[in-house]
């Protein structure tokens, strides 16, 4: 079974600075998808960014980018120019390209943005 | 249609009682998912519907749990004989394709 680990329960960043959230995963599959989801205090999960494992190029979405290291099974999220609205729980998630429709989520990292 | 709607937002029940939650997905979404999220953890998959067919069920979905999606529209999740360990946030999500989930705001269940 696949597992997702987020080793940083809490992180903080100064407004306008850059922060990197870590994620590692374990799988024996060669093709899969990785995601970062954001869950603000209102608790509705929102997709931040998605990465296909077959793509070598790291995904970017405006101020959000990932560092995908397939061999190391690492998938970190970099948030540039942090804003107060970025404060939330961030979940790393894995989805198989072959089996099932479900996501496997990590335990999350709580990000605080300091003014 | 502004998103995935879940009702109720909060539910407090006594141990041993039955509870039912409702999820109204985005109308054109044919895929619907239920997840459970306990405090300090990420969501855990419970079950998946494509239209009215329940195609996947997690081992977490014990025989006290049942989910339905009649006519491929809204879905209900029922928990019978609730236990304190059932206290959690129950999240529903829907999608038109394998990706592009839209999550609801969840139903928080407290079993006392």
């Amino acid at each position: 079974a696949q597992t997702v680990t987020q080793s940083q329960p809490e992180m903080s960043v100064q407004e306008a600075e850059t922060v990197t959230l870590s994620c590692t995963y374990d799988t024996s599959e060669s093709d899969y998808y990785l995601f970062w989801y954001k869950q603000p205090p209102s608790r509705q999960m929102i997709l931040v960014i998605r990465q296909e494992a077959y793509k070598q190029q790291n995904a970017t979405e405006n101020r959000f980018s990932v560092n995908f290291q397939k061999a190391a099974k690492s998938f970190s999220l970099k948030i540039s120019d942090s804003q107060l609205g970025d404060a939330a729980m961030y979940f790393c998630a894995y989805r198989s390209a072959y089996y099932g429709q479900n996501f496997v989520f990590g335990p999350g990292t709580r990000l605080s943005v300091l003014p | 249609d502004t998103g995935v709607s879940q009702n109720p937002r909060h539910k407090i029940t006594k141990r041993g009682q039955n509870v039912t939650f409702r999820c109204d997905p985005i109308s054109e979404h044919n895929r619907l998912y239920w997840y459970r999220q306990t405090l300090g953890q990420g969501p855990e998959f419970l079950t998946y519907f494509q239209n009215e067919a329940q195609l996947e069920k997690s081992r977490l979905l014990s025989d006290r749990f049942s989910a339905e999606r009649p006519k491929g529209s809204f879905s209900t999740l029922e928990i019978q004989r609730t236990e304190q360990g059932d206290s959690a946030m129950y999240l529903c999500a829907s999608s038109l394709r394998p990706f592009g989930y839209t999550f609801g705001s969840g139903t928080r269940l407290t079993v006392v």
Side-chain angles (χ1 to χ4, degrees):
Chain A
Q2 293 81 23
T3 58
V4 177
T5 302
Q6 292 177 252
S7 60
Q8 305 153 317
E10 295 184 2
M11 292 281 285
S12 62
V13 62
Q14 290 289 142
E15 197 175 2
E17 297 295 308
T18 296
V19 64
T20 299
L21 308 184
S22 301
C23 171
T24 58
Y25 58 94
D26 188 27
T27 184
S28 58
E29 297 176 340
S30 59
D31 199 12
Y32 46 86
Y33 303 90
L34 297 166
F35 305 80
W36 279 98
Y37 274 88
K38 170 184 177 181
Q39 190 176 40
S42 67
R43 304 197 73 87
Q44 186 170 22
M45 304 267 287
I46 303 166
L47 176 65
V48 175
I49 200 164
R50 182 181 97 200
Q51 174 79 43
E52 290 86 350
Y54 63 84
K55 289 186 177 179
Q56 292 186 338
Q57 187 173 6
N58 289 324
T60 62
E61 286 288 342
N62 300 315
R63 298 181 296 107
F64 299 88
S65 61
V66 298
N67 183 4
F68 173 48
Q69 301 290 327
K70 190 172 184 180
K73 297 181 182 175
S74 170
F75 182 62
S76 61
L77 174 70
K78 184 171 82 171
I79 306 174
S80 303
D81 186 25
S82 297
Q83 301 175 359
L84 295 177
D86 294 333
M89 284 290 291
Y90 285 82
F91 294 98
C92 179
Y94 171 101
R95 183 177 162 181
S96 170
Y98 306 110
Y99 307 110
Q101 297 290 324
N102 60 298
F103 288 88
V104 177
F105 286 90
T109 296
R110 181 175 300 281
L111 178 66
S112 301
V113 181
L114 308 175
Chain B
D1 193 330
T2 57
V4 177
S5 175
Q6 291 189 247
N7 288 288
R9 292 295 304 275
H10 303 276
K11 178 71 176 178
I12 300 174
T13 190
K14 291 184 178 180
R15 188 174 52 187
Q17 297 293 305
N18 299 344
V19 294
T20 300
F21 312 138
R22 177 176 170 126
C23 171
D24 287 273
I26 293 174
S27 55
E28 63 265 29
H29 286 183
N30 61 341
R31 299 165 187 253
L32 186 145
Y33 315 81
W34 284 99
Y35 283 78
R36 181 176 72 183
Q37 184 177 20
T38 53
L39 203 60
Q41 298 297 318
E44 297 171 293
F45 172 74
L46 292 178
T47 191
Y48 158 65
F49 289 87
Q50 185 162 332
N51 299 311
E52 67 275 11
Q54 188 175 21
L55 298 183
E56 287 182 43
K57 291 171 63 173
S58 161
R59 294 173 300 170
L60 294 175
L61 214 65
S62 74
D63 55 4
R64 296 186 298 106
F65 287 69
S66 63
E68 294 182 342
R69 192 183 182 197
K71 302 179 182 179
S73 56
F74 70 92
S75 176
T76 58
L77 178 67
E78 181 183 16
I79 309 174
Q80 296 182 328
R81 305 182 302 282
T82 51
E83 301 171 356
Q84 286 192 319
D86 297 331
S87 296
M89 178 74 81
Y90 290 84
L91 297 172
C92 177
S94 70
S95 69
L96 184 58
R97 286 173 284 276
F99 306 117
Y101 273 33
T102 299
F103 279 89
S105 296
T107 293
R108 178 168 293 286
L109 173 66
T110 302
V111 181
V112 297

